[in-house]
Amino acid sequence: MPPGDFKVLDPSTHQVIFVHPKIKNSHQAVLSAWQRQAQGWQRLYFVSAVIGRNGLALPGEKKEGDGKTPSGIYPLGPAFGYAAVLDTGLEYRQATDSDFWVDDVRSMQYNQWVNGQPQAGSFERMRRADNLYQYGIVIGYNTQPIVPGAGSAIFMHVWRRYDSSTAGCVAINQRNLRKILRWLNAKEKPVIMME
């Protein structure tokens, strides 16, 4: 049975990634993938995941730098990674050494992907040396509108390992992430639900 909250989803949404901490305030979580079928929602698989080091932020309480993953329902995409092309049904953007994501709350580019030197005092590289962003998906949190200080750079990406938390993203192992990327399709209006 799908989580009861699926009833609030838009009828056009046919794919859901559902993320739930194993215990309250834990960074260890379970991620499940759901597809809407003619007979209802079907769970395709579930895998281990990690979230922010301080667990989930309640709706409306996420703040920049708090180490929490925002709870709620958000659109997925585009996908991103280091390769020129990627096997996914999502829009895809290659991350190069010239790509950055701005987390400076004072910048006009806050919570945006920027190509070229950002006009900001703080940002992160989209092509990381540790390969955590070798495969990833942008989670559409705090994007329309962008609220300065409400949190930035929320992605689904490759984890370091199961016992290592994130700064606020959702992370899983590389093999499972590639499987999800192949499954997701922008035409299915995919979302992520975190609660």
Side-chain angles (χ1 to χ4, degrees):
M1 290 292 294
D5 288 353
F6 278 28
K7 294 185 183 78
V8 306
L9 294 172
D10 190 283
S12 65
T13 292
H14 287 83
Q15 294 180 325
V16 177
I17 299 291
F18 182 73
V19 180
H20 187 73
K22 286 195 166 183
I23 56 173
K24 189 175 180 181
N25 298 324
S26 172
H27 73 273
Q28 294 182 332
V30 175
L31 179 151
S32 53
W34 297 80
Q35 181 78 43
R36 192 194 298 258
Q37 310 281 9
Q39 67 274 21
W41 287 99
Q42 178 186 4
R43 188 179 73 186
L44 304 181
Y45 42 85
F46 66 98
V47 299
S48 295
V50 295
I51 58 173
R53 63 183 176 274
N54 294 318
L56 286 179
L58 294 174
E61 293 188 8
K62 168 71 183 163
K63 301 295 180 201
E64 186 67 41
D66 63 4
K68 294 183 178 183
T69 299
S71 58
I73 302 169
Y74 307 101
L76 286 170
F80 61 89
Y82 301 167
V85 295
L86 186 68
D87 184 11
T88 183
L90 296 176
E91 176 189 340
Y92 177 71
R93 184 168 180 181
Q94 184 180 20
T96 71
D97 289 332
S98 299
D99 290 305
F100 307 89
W101 198 285
V102 175
D103 57 15
D104 179 356
V105 299
R106 295 174 303 281
S107 171
M108 294 297 291
Q109 297 173 324
Y110 178 68
N111 199 29
Q112 295 176 62
W113 182 315
V114 176
N115 181 263
Q117 185 63 34
Q119 302 301 307
S122 177
F123 49 83
E124 65 173 294
R125 295 185 176 277
M126 293 303 292
R127 192 176 185 104
R128 297 169 57 120
D130 59 13
N131 287 334
L132 295 186
Y133 291 175
Q134 184 173 359
Y135 304 99
I137 306 167
V138 174
I139 295 174
Y141 167 76
N142 193 27
T143 56
Q144 295 180 348
I146 296 172
V147 178
S152 64
I154 305 298
F155 310 134
M156 189 171 164
H157 63 74
V158 178
W159 69 15
R160 284 189 173 85
R161 54 189 185 278
Y162 182 57
D163 59 353
S164 180
S165 62
T166 72
C169 294
V170 175
I172 60 177
N173 75 34
Q174 183 182 120
R175 180 175 54 84
N176 289 329
L177 183 51
R178 292 185 72 180
K179 183 177 180 180
I180 286 172
L181 282 161
R182 286 192 297 271
W183 166 67
L184 287 171
N185 190 320
K187 294 177 182 176
E188 305 277 7
K189 307 292 186 190
V191 299
I192 188 166
M193 179 183 288
M194 300 177 285
E195 62 178 39

